[in-house]
Amino acid sequence: MDVRRFWMQWVVMLGILLVFSHSAAAKEPSSWKVNILPQDKAVGVAVDDVITMTFSGAIQLKNSRDITDKSWLSLVQLVDEKKKKVAFAVKWNDSAKSLVIDPVGNLEAGKTYRVTLLAKKLKDARGELNPELSVAFATKAPVDNIAPQAVILPGHGAKQVKSGEKVTLQFAEEVALVSGETLSSKTAGKLVRVTDEQGRAVPHTVTWNKSKRTLTVKPKGKWQPHTSYHVHLVGGLLQDRAGNANNSQSSSFTSGAK
């Protein structure tokens, strides 16, 4: 009876030890620690930045071969926001356990990218295969430093312009008055000056079409026949959404017969 009790107690203790050992093994954290830069969800990343992966310990390919620069091309993936693969070059520093990923050409501004270390491609000193590791980041939005410019019609040097023809100045982007006033037909008159070949001011009206981003200039009356006219868009009075002020623009044309 004592022997049976002894064996039962021994079996129970063995079971408890197995449970604890299994629990400890299950809770043992992965040894894979990789520092990836840019960090996940980083924004404002420069378009010419490189991506780095720094490993906490020695690693090798899962087939136990040493890692080379070439081998990394099948271990890492870089894609854009449309999941299109982005070409890159790599440089592996084995002593520092650091990988530099250099996209071919600059990344696009204002776009999101994801870099991924594919799963089960590498193993550490304990023989543990790597999990998939991935970060996404966004590049810095493009900077608009181009002044708004108008396309003026009739074009510079045009001849035989009809006596009742309008002059249009159309912008490719939204513009507003630098002063903060609302741009409208009531406030657009100061934006355009018209003179004749003698340099005399020509009475005219200026209207603004917001949807077409167009200033329309009409003479009060008609253009005089066989006369040269000079249309001048005053600089520094308009600005785009980025705050770039417009430069002065000029165009000349010659009217035809009546």
Side-chain angles (χ1 to χ4, degrees):
M1 187 69 177
D2 290 340
V3 174
R4 183 184 298 176
R5 182 179 299 172
F6 169 79
W7 280 107
M8 289 181 65
Q9 290 176 344
W10 187 86
V11 170
V12 170
M13 290 297 296
L14 181 61
I16 293 173
L17 288 172
L18 288 173
V19 169
F20 273 106
S21 63
H22 177 74
S23 177
K27 293 180 180 180
E28 186 176 356
S30 171
S31 61
W32 281 92
K33 292 181 175 61
V34 185
N35 182 36
I36 304 177
L37 294 175
Q39 295 180 338
D40 192 33
K41 299 180 181 179
V43 296
V45 176
V47 295
D48 58 352
D49 268 4
V50 296
I51 303 162
T52 62
M53 291 185 179
T54 304
F55 297 81
S56 60
I59 58 173
Q60 58 184 177
L61 296 173
K62 70 176 182 179
N63 61 9
S64 299
R65 293 182 180 179
D66 291 335
I67 302 173
T68 64
D69 288 348
K70 185 177 180 180
S71 60
W72 279 110
L73 297 176
S74 61
L75 307 178
V76 174
Q77 189 176 79
L78 177 63
V79 297
D80 62 16
E81 55 196 27
K82 295 181 180 179
K83 297 184 179 180
K84 181 180 178 181
K85 290 184 179 180
V86 178
F88 57 87
V90 295
K91 186 64 179 178
W92 170 242
N93 186 325
D94 188 64
S95 60
K97 302 296 180 287
S98 179
L99 174 69
V100 176
I101 302 168
D102 189 3
V104 176
N106 288 344
L107 298 173
E108 288 189 60
K111 301 292 183 180
T112 299
Y113 293 87
R114 179 173 292 277
V115 61
T116 303
L117 173 62
L118 302 177
K120 299 180 180 179
K121 298 290 186 179
L122 302 168
K123 65 180 180 180
D124 60 14
R126 301 192 317 179
E128 181 182 348
L129 296 179
N130 71 288
E132 181 178 290
L133 300 171
S134 180
V135 301
F137 60 90
T139 52
K140 188 176 181 180
V143 177
D144 178 6
N145 53 14
I146 300 175
Q149 189 171 14
V151 175
I152 304 176
L153 294 175
H156 183 65
K159 299 182 183 300
Q160 300 298 319
V161 174
K162 295 180 180 180
S163 60
E165 189 168 344
K166 303 172 184 178
V167 176
T168 60
L169 300 89
Q170 185 173 33
F171 295 88
E173 59 182 323
E174 291 185 23
V175 292
L177 290 172
V178 172
S179 65
E181 296 176 90
T182 300
L183 178 55
S184 66
S185 295
K186 291 182 179 180
T187 57
K190 59 188 175 184
L191 300 176
V192 181
R193 297 173 186 163
V194 181
T195 56
D196 63 16
E197 55 197 14
Q198 302 298 323
R200 295 171 298 199
V202 176
H204 63 279
T205 61
V206 181
T207 57
W208 170 247
N209 186 314
K210 182 178 180 180
S211 62
K212 294 182 178 180
R213 304 181 300 277
T214 300
L215 293 166
T216 300
V217 181
K218 294 173 60 178
K220 290 184 177 180
K222 294 184 178 181
W223 306 117
Q224 295 300 308
H226 305 296
T227 303
S228 294
Y229 291 94
H230 183 75
V231 179
H232 178 73
L233 175 64
V234 181
L237 298 183
L238 293 170
Q239 64 181 4
D240 59 17
R241 284 187 170 184
N244 301 305
N246 74 298
N247 297 317
S248 298
Q249 287 182 250
S250 297
S251 182
S252 297
F253 65 89
T254 302
S255 59
K258 287 186 178 180

